[in-house]
Amino acid sequence: MATANQITGKKGEEEARAHLLSKGHQILAANWRCGSLEVDLISQVENIIVFSEVKTRMYNAMVDPAEGVNRAKQKQIMRAAERYMENQPDHLECRFDIIAVSYKGNSYTVEHLEDAYRHFMK
């Protein structure tokens, strides 16, 4: 039986997936794994493979959902992306996004931070 956190995370990923689709992304994989490495959503838009980490929190949480993607988590996702890209055509680029989903009751808000790691590394 799923825990409350697992149910919340799953709903957040569903909201993030719908958001990406609305922006013209093709979903390539969800919860993609390579050994102990995992990426929440992998999508493609034009010639870019997008690796998205989804963080879901209550609307009034003390911590912004995007802040949950620290440098260690970024490195894990980048390692997973390297593995994934080994089987992709060379002409494709890759990008790392964070999708922060906040909820209050049954209402969800999605904030999409494109190329997020570049912003956090400044």
Side-chain angles (χ1 to χ4, degrees):
M1 187 166 171
T3 67
N5 284 345
Q6 289 170 327
I7 293 168
T8 297
K10 190 72 162 165
K11 180 63 178 163
E13 287 180 7
E14 290 170 9
E15 294 290 327
R17 180 190 309 242
H19 172 77
L20 289 173
L21 289 170
S22 76
K23 292 186 75 174
H25 289 240
Q26 174 189 358
I27 304 299
L28 303 176
N31 302 112
W32 184 85
R33 289 183 148 318
C34 180
S36 64
L37 303 172
E38 181 185 9
V39 179
D40 291 334
L41 291 171
I42 302 173
S43 61
Q44 183 171 349
V45 61
E46 299 174 5
N47 68 332
I48 302 169
I49 302 290
V50 180
F51 297 89
S52 297
E53 177 68 10
V54 180
K55 290 296 181 188
T56 307
R57 302 278 191 273
M58 288 184 65
Y59 182 72
N60 61 354
M62 298 290 280
V63 177
D64 183 312
E67 292 177 15
V69 186
N70 59 28
R71 288 194 193 274
K73 184 66 174 176
Q74 290 175 16
K75 288 179 182 178
Q76 283 183 328
I77 295 169
M78 286 188 278
R79 282 198 312 271
E82 287 175 356
R83 298 289 190 284
Y84 186 87
M85 293 301 289
E86 288 173 356
N87 297 314
Q88 300 303 313
D90 290 339
H91 72 277
L92 295 175
E93 300 174 29
C94 69
R95 183 179 83 203
F96 300 92
D97 293 2
I98 297 173
I99 302 177
V101 180
S102 300
Y103 70 94
K104 184 175 186 178
N106 289 328
S107 177
Y108 289 81
T109 303
V110 176
E111 180 183 4
H112 185 177
L113 305 169
E114 293 183 5
D115 204 8
Y117 297 4
R118 178 175 53 98
H119 298 292
F120 284 115
M121 292 189 174
K122 288 183 179 178

